[in-house]
Amino acid sequence: MAHNTAVLVLGGGSTGCGIARDLAMRGVDVTLVERGNLTDGTTGRMHGLLHSGGRYAVSDQASATECIEENEILRDIASHCVEETGGLFVQRPEDSDEYLQKKLEGCRDCGIPATVLSGREAREVEPYLAKDVSRAIQVPDGAVDPFRLCVANALDAERHGARVETHAEVIDLLREGDDIYGVEVRHDSGPGKRTHKSPGTTEEITAEYVVNATGAWAGQIGAMADLDVAVRPSKGVMTIMNVRQVDTVINRCRPKGDADIIVPHETTAILGTTDEEVADPDDYPEEQWEVDMMIDTLSELVPIIEEARTIRSFWGVRPLYEPPGTGTQDPTDITRDFFLLDHDERDGVSGMSSIVGGKFTTYRAMAEEITDHVCEKLGVSATCATAEEPLPGSEDISVLEEGMDNFGLRSPVARRSNQRLGSRAADVLETDEPNPVVCQCEGVTRAEVQDAIGQSGSDLNAVRIRTRASMGNCQGGFCCQNMATELHPRYDEETVREALDELFQERWKGERHALWGEQLSQAMLNYALHATTMNRDNDPASGATQIDYAQFDGGA
Amino acid sequence: MAITDDVLVIGGGLAGATAALAAADAAEDARIRLVTYKQSTLRHASGLIDVLGYAPGGVSDGENGQEQGQNQNQTPVADPFTALESLPESHPYQRVGVDAVREALAFFDEIAGDAYAGSHTEMNALVPTHGGTVKPTARYPVSTAEGLASDDRDTLLVGFETLPDFDAPLAAAHLEAAGAPFDARGVTLSFPGIVRDDAKVTRYAHLLDHNERVETLTGKTGAREALAATVEPHLDGESRVGFPAVLGDDHPAAVRETLSDALGADTFEVPMGPPSLPGLRLEDLLYDALESAGVRVTSGVPVVDYETAVADSTADEPATAAIDHVVVDRNGAEIPHEADQYVLATGGLVGKGVESNRERVTEGIFDCYVPHATDRYDWFVDDVFGEQPYARFGVVPDEDLRPLDADGNLEFSNLRAAGSVLGGYDYAAEKSGAGVSLATGYVAGTRAGEGCQ
């Protein structure tokens, strides 16, 4: 039968986008569908660590080796998404010498450059480290922006002919006998870029092969075709600080434990994390003790965190998996390795494989392995080039390395815009039109916002993940409105209003977990600006009844 | 060596300034001092004087209201004074009484003179916001007077390419969706003389205040004429033209007059978010009034400590401590300030009069009791515009506006509180911020003035 596409990838996270890019670059016709925005699942809810592998150097050396290899590849192909911060595994007096020694040897076994620093040397690198930190191992950890990296994969897939549909939720797997031949999706607002308020439609997309890359949601997809994919979703909290208390990734040098990492990320630092199995990846408690633990435990490493301002917290769900019968109790002990479940071999149902487990740093290698598998099924012989071909934005990294063009912008805004856009900077920022700053906290200009709208439609959360607009200290209080006005006149007033409400509510979701001190003050200011000054809580345009204007003061 | 006054007002926003002015008014010979620490929150405020725009628990219109909680999608109250009567006992307005609200507003009208309008009626006006909605307010800067949405004249809105806060065509479309009783159109233009894309709003105002010479296609002219010439071709019979609130800082009346004459149409400002020129103009107006009233103002000094005096206790009543003096930090030197009566007007969460950490919410200077749930996850609700408990954080006053402790006893016999340091109301939802500041500032200041005589 004629198919709509050769390969249909389910899931717009790093794995799905990585597979779509790899397939498209090998000349395979590919369609990717994602329920929400790209990165909405686990990818956009990670701590932004580009692993050196040091973390797994004792417990899982295969993963550690793969991490350092991929770490080096991403520094090349996605340099505009990576910040080479370096990392430290720091030891407190109560942490074991023996473990530190094992960590060091493990790093050396896996080819991870590692140097031991004394406590004093470590504090020279990071002055806010606790006075009693006794030693540290320095490794090439880095910080990575998962949003831009994932979007860059999708963009490049599209450049190579892929179709990428966001806001397209899989509502059924199409199965005939023992063959899966596609899915039915519900488009939130019709196919193509999202436009709020346009009526939703459903579509059947048929494919020669389906790749279930929905991570923590893989079990739900499998169940649509009576396939048992026993993912064990495990939640973890991340708490964002308003400034970078550290410029280096700080790990606690001990076997395992909650609240043991601080990752500098853009203007912020992210504290992580916890590890608790949950039943439903869409519905789990986000709890106060988790946030408190981040602050209380990590201030043992960096004491100023105790009194510092946090701007929000968020939770991610790891798509953990282990083969049936393994029976690991503690989710912390479940392997971080990934599994390719070929349902033909496993369940006797052809046409689909599911990918579960895995981690962000090695998304590309996972994608390569899965793409190889799919190509074998399809009889495609082209080989993988994703490790060599730079992603859009990193084609010419001289932009980042040499003097930056300031495109008429103030230097901090120009610098940050250039870092986000990499080699796309000139395309995006060179304009004859006025280009004012739309988001002051993150230094995002109109041109960059317009570029993002061009990619993603009327969805301001999609604009946010591309630009970082509304992700700074004010959490959108001052800039949500400005971002929304940029949608006009491309989108009409009602669409703009709905997009603004959606973004503002999304920002509040994470801010709720940081409501004390300075950030509670900020929250009240944001509320006052939007409710008092703009009256958005009682906007007559959104109400059902008409105001009788004649009853009011019409002037003297 | 203590500095000694009769009344000491702590806090320099609308409530504090009003309290100091009211104290000076009530006690002519008294020495009144106002100490402020940070910039007041007036720069964040739109400059509108809201009294009550929505009654808590008022009528929600339709299905959305049910779903989203009582605060949302209500119809605005046209007559705020009638609606005041229905507020709960704990509301600051009920504490001072409706008559005091009227008196306070009259007191403000006298201070504001012709800088504000709206006193000709008790009804609320509806004013367009920079987002394009309309909001109910009792008094408005004269610069906004021609722009009321409850005035049915057709309107041209003008925005500027370099000011992303106000998109005039979008605001016009929004006004239409809000059912405004006139035709509104919006145009986006280039502001003559603005060179940098990220110029601050004060730069726009400065160009117009000083009518700086700017380059135009037809040679150099004054900025006001140049702006009028830019707008003029876009006028299509509208009798009024609205601009974002950048029309002058020092000479706004002259700026508007020149523009109106040149355009043959009334001009007005749409209030904007921070930094807000109408808010800053209100601040200037208040500080001029404080100077005229002989109030001594000391700025940039935080109150860092206080001492109480031993109070007499009687058999019937427990002893209530009185504040003997407070200590302010002036460039590192601790200076005691002594007064007979004190007014606390340090603001709420935004102004930092109310502080919090992960465990508790407190009033920052005297540690007056601030009711709040022990679990901080009960300080908020999940709907951003829902009934937010945090928005009601603040001290609990008696009818004399003296803060009460957890048991309902006076914290101090000579301390009154005014403005958003008071709790028990959500000014953002009600649109009552300025009105509560005026009413409680007026009452606290008046009683403090009377109390020291």
Side-chain angles (χ1 to χ4, degrees):
Chain A
M1 71 184 273
H3 293 288
N4 300 119
T5 182
V7 182
L8 177 64
V9 178
L10 314 182
S14 52
T15 311
C17 290
I19 295 167
R21 178 188 189 227
D22 198 339
L23 283 166
M25 281 173 63
R26 298 193 207 191
V28 178
D29 176 30
V30 56
T31 297
L32 180 146
V33 294
E34 158 60 43
R35 180 175 77 166
N37 276 315
L38 297 177
T39 77
D40 263 3
T42 303
T43 298
R45 314 196 129 258
M46 50 96 71
H47 44 36
L49 172 66
L50 183 66
H51 279 281
S52 62
R55 216 173 169 73
Y56 306 116
V58 179
S59 58
D60 181 354
Q61 297 205 339
S63 287
T65 309
E66 197 176 43
C67 278
I68 188 67
E69 286 167 6
E70 287 300 310
N71 174 309
E72 282 160 9
I73 289 170
L74 289 180
R75 284 164 197 252
D76 282 340
I77 67 159
S79 55
H80 74 295
C81 304
V82 171
E83 188 187 344
E84 303 192 9
T85 60
L88 295 174
F89 280 86
V90 303
Q91 182 193 32
R92 287 187 46 80
E94 64 269 31
D95 299 336
S96 117
D97 284 337
E98 192 195 345
Y99 184 74
L100 184 133
Q101 198 53 39
K102 273 193 188 162
K103 178 75 87 185
L104 188 61
E105 283 159 16
C107 284
R108 289 180 178 154
D109 291 346
C110 300
I112 302 163
T115 319
V116 177
L117 305 182
S118 68
R120 192 178 53 78
E121 287 167 330
R123 280 183 291 277
E124 276 169 18
V125 177
E126 284 302 337
Y128 290 119
L129 278 181
K131 296 272 180 289
D132 54 355
V133 161
S134 45
R135 280 189 300 174
I137 304 175
Q138 197 165 29
V139 293
D141 281 343
V144 59
D145 185 327
F147 303 113
R148 282 183 289 127
L149 181 61
C150 189
V151 167
N153 272 283
L155 260 185
D156 205 38
E158 287 182 304
R159 283 187 190 176
H160 287 90
R163 175 184 175 201
V164 175
E165 285 286 347
T166 58
H167 301 286
E169 181 176 11
V170 174
I171 50 175
D172 199 13
L173 270 182
L174 304 175
R175 172 174 172 172
E176 195 171 273
D178 285 336
D179 183 49
I180 289 169
Y181 65 96
V183 299
E184 185 176 11
V185 296
R186 181 166 49 225
H187 295 288
D188 175 66
S189 64
K193 287 170 194 165
R194 181 167 186 208
T195 305
H196 288 78
K197 290 278 170 190
S198 33
T201 54
T202 56
E203 181 188 7
E204 272 192 14
I205 304 175
T206 58
E208 286 175 60
Y209 204 76
V210 176
V211 178
N212 174 17
T214 54
W217 290 263
Q220 296 179 7
I221 295 288
M224 291 175 181
D226 299 324
L227 299 170
D228 181 30
V229 181
V231 197
R232 291 176 62 181
S234 162
K235 70 167 176 171
V237 69
M238 279 140 285
T239 294
I240 311 184
M241 311 308 292
N242 76 321
V243 292
R244 289 165 65 130
Q245 281 81 13
V246 292
D247 290 317
T248 309
V249 176
I250 305 297
N251 305 271
R252 181 81 176 256
C253 191
R254 64 180 176 193
K256 64 175 188 181
D258 289 340
D260 65 351
I261 187 165
I262 308 170
V263 185
H265 183 74
E266 304 276 339
T267 52
T268 69
I270 301 180
L271 317 184
T273 182
T274 45
D275 200 341
E276 279 227 324
E277 203 159 334
V278 297
D280 180 348
D282 287 315
D283 185 16
Y284 52 85
E286 300 176 342
E287 290 166 285
Q288 174 175 357
W289 67 264
E290 298 176 273
V291 177
D292 286 336
M293 178 201 267
M294 292 308 111
I295 296 166
D296 296 338
T297 306
L298 283 164
S299 54
E300 293 172 9
L301 301 184
V302 179
I304 55 165
I305 281 174
E306 179 73 37
E307 296 300 323
R309 170 176 176 185
T310 100
I311 55 177
R312 66 193 282 118
S313 288
F314 62 95
W315 277 254
V317 182
R318 301 174 188 83
L320 299 184
Y321 177 86
E322 59 181 17
T326 315
T328 306
Q329 292 301 314
D330 183 346
T332 319
D333 295 328
I334 298 178
T335 175
R336 264 50 176 169
D337 210 351
F338 82 94
F339 295 86
L340 196 169
L341 312 179
D342 183 328
H343 294 293
D344 193 9
E345 293 164 14
R346 186 173 171 269
D347 309 294
V349 176
S350 63
M352 182 167 93
S353 286
S354 295
I355 324 310
V356 283
K359 53 196 165 299
F360 182 84
T361 299
T362 58
Y363 87 92
R364 195 213 58 82
M366 281 166 58
E368 178 176 345
E369 213 173 308
I370 294 149
T371 306
D372 285 346
H373 177 79
V374 174
C375 284
E376 198 185 305
K377 297 261 175 195
L378 300 180
V380 172
S381 59
T383 54
C384 177
T386 56
E388 295 84 38
E389 281 296 316
L391 284 158
S394 283
E395 294 97 337
D396 178 8
I397 56 161
S398 61
V399 178
L400 298 172
E401 288 168 345
E402 293 162 14
M404 290 175 179
D405 193 334
N406 70 9
F407 306 103
L409 302 170
R410 277 181 292 128
S411 92
V413 176
R415 193 177 65 243
R416 301 209 50 218
S417 305
N418 271 301
Q419 279 166 347
R420 281 190 297 266
L421 293 162
S423 49
R424 295 187 64 240
D427 278 351
V428 175
L429 299 175
E430 246 166 28
T431 169
D432 294 331
E433 303 290 313
N435 189 23
V437 173
V438 169
C439 164
Q440 298 286 350
C441 297
E442 296 295 320
V444 185
T445 62
R446 172 177 292 162
E448 195 177 340
V449 170
Q450 287 294 342
D451 171 63
I453 293 169
Q455 287 177 29
S456 60
S458 68
D459 191 315
L460 291 174
N461 282 308
V463 173
R464 171 175 66 79
I465 63 169
R466 283 163 173 78
T467 62
R468 284 193 60 80
S470 79
M471 290 170 92
N473 276 357
C474 84
Q475 288 290 292
F478 286 60
C479 60
C480 278
Q481 161 76 10
N482 296 359
M483 289 169 70
T485 63
E486 291 301 323
L487 293 170
H488 190 77
R490 210 184 306 204
Y491 298 96
D492 66 14
E493 188 276 326
E494 195 181 359
T495 305
V496 174
R497 204 187 321 143
E498 185 146 316
L500 172 58
D501 287 342
E502 191 177 79
L503 174 63
F504 195 61
Q505 181 69 44
E506 189 284 335
R507 296 284 74 197
W508 173 244
K509 186 170 186 285
E511 230 186 323
R512 295 172 308 164
H513 299 287
L515 283 192
W516 69 86
E518 288 279 327
Q519 204 62 18
L520 180 56
S521 178
Q522 179 76 53
M524 186 65 212
L525 176 57
N526 291 355
Y527 177 40
L529 288 177
H530 285 259
T532 310
T533 307
M534 288 196 271
N535 195 20
R536 294 211 308 108
D537 57 333
N538 280 295
D539 184 351
S542 305
T545 48
Q546 278 286 328
I547 297 180
D548 182 3
Y549 283 80
Q551 277 194 350
F552 289 80
D553 170 17
Chain B
M1 266 214 323
I3 292 174
T4 306
D5 296 284
D6 295 309
V7 176
L8 182 70
V9 177
I10 307 166
L14 182 56
T18 304
L21 290 167
D25 197 53
E28 275 182 23
D29 301 325
R31 273 172 70 103
I32 319 290
R33 184 178 299 273
L34 183 151
V35 291
T36 76
Y37 175 31
K38 289 190 283 263
Q39 275 186 317
S40 88
T41 51
L42 284 166
R43 63 194 300 274
H44 294 313
S46 64
L48 300 177
I49 302 293
D50 305 338
V51 169
L52 189 72
Y54 297 87
V59 187
S60 282
D61 67 1
E63 74 266 41
N64 285 339
Q66 294 297 320
E67 232 168 73
Q68 295 172 336
Q70 292 187 1
N71 276 353
Q72 287 160 267
N73 287 331
Q74 296 182 23
T75 34
V77 297
D79 175 0
F81 294 98
T82 308
L84 285 182
E85 311 272 5
S86 65
L87 294 173
E89 270 305 299
S90 55
H91 196 287
Y93 278 142
Q94 288 287 9
R95 294 271 128 161
V96 299
V98 178
D99 289 344
V101 181
R102 284 184 211 272
E103 284 168 36
L105 214 52
F107 186 67
F108 173 79
D109 290 335
E110 205 163 306
I111 297 163
D114 55 12
Y116 271 75
S119 61
H120 61 279
T121 171
E122 290 218 330
M123 305 309 270
N124 274 329
L126 292 169
V127 175
T129 74
H130 68 284
T133 66
V134 301
K135 69 165 268 193
T137 194
R139 299 288 186 271
Y140 35 92
V142 67
S143 66
T144 293
E146 300 292 346
L148 302 186
S150 39
D151 167 347
D152 61 9
R153 288 177 293 161
D154 289 350
T155 302
L156 176 68
L157 295 176
V158 176
F160 300 109
E161 290 168 333
T162 43
L163 270 184
D165 307 62
F166 180 61
D167 182 315
L170 178 65
H174 200 144
L175 281 172
E176 189 187 336
F182 50 85
D183 288 337
R185 277 192 316 122
V187 290
T188 303
L189 305 174
S190 168
F191 195 102
I194 288 294
V195 184
R196 293 204 62 101
D197 291 350
D198 56 358
K200 295 186 164 63
V201 291
T202 44
R203 175 64 193 144
Y204 294 77
H206 191 86
L207 273 169
L208 295 170
D209 271 342
H210 301 279
N211 206 18
E212 279 183 31
R213 308 288 287 171
V214 299
E215 206 70 62
T216 69
L217 291 174
T218 54
K220 281 200 162 194
T221 68
R224 297 178 195 174
E225 290 75 23
L227 177 57
T230 307
V231 173
E232 206 275 332
H234 298 277
L235 253 184
D236 185 19
E238 291 91 349
S239 58
R240 52 181 180 164
V241 183
F243 295 90
V246 298
L247 301 182
D249 189 8
D250 298 328
H251 310 291
V255 171
R256 287 197 312 280
E257 192 182 338
T258 317
L259 290 175
S260 299
D261 287 351
L263 291 169
D266 291 321
T267 52
F268 66 90
E269 289 184 322
V270 176
M272 301 276 283
S276 155
L277 284 172
L280 292 167
R281 290 182 206 130
L282 173 58
E283 187 167 33
D284 289 345
L285 184 153
L286 293 169
Y287 279 79
D288 287 348
L290 288 168
E291 197 182 337
S292 308
V295 173
R296 291 158 173 80
V297 175
T298 316
S299 302
V301 293
V303 172
V304 292
D305 204 358
Y306 72 96
E307 291 287 339
T308 52
V310 182
D312 303 327
S313 62
T314 65
D316 299 333
E317 279 183 63
T320 298
I323 296 165
D324 180 69
H325 66 270
V326 299
V327 179
V328 308
D329 178 334
R330 194 157 71 201
N331 304 323
E334 298 209 329
I335 317 276
H337 276 255
E338 203 173 72
D340 192 31
Q341 300 290 325
Y342 297 83
V343 177
L344 177 69
T346 44
L349 289 168
V350 179
K352 315 274 169 72
V354 177
E355 297 173 353
S356 62
N357 58 29
R358 280 190 280 159
E359 279 78 42
R360 65 190 285 254
V361 185
T362 54
E363 181 280 305
I365 295 177
F366 302 102
D367 198 16
C368 292
Y369 167 63
V370 175
H372 61 277
T374 14
D375 182 346
R376 73 167 189 268
Y377 277 63
D378 292 332
W379 297 354
F380 63 84
V381 296
D382 290 346
D383 178 356
V384 66
F385 289 131
E387 288 189 47
Q388 295 293 354
Y390 73 79
R392 299 169 168 271
F393 285 168
V395 304
V396 183
D398 73 353
E399 291 190 344
D400 203 28
L401 294 182
R402 290 182 292 180
L404 299 172
D405 66 18
D407 300 321
N409 300 316
L410 286 184
E411 294 268 15
F412 305 97
S413 59
N414 58 346
L415 177 71
R416 290 176 182 79
S420 44
V421 74
L422 294 169
Y425 72 114
D426 178 345
Y427 69 80
E430 296 169 9
K431 326 300 166 197
S432 64
V436 168
S437 288
L438 282 177
T440 56
Y442 175 75
V443 169
T446 303
R447 305 259 166 93
E450 289 164 0
C452 70
Q453 281 191 319

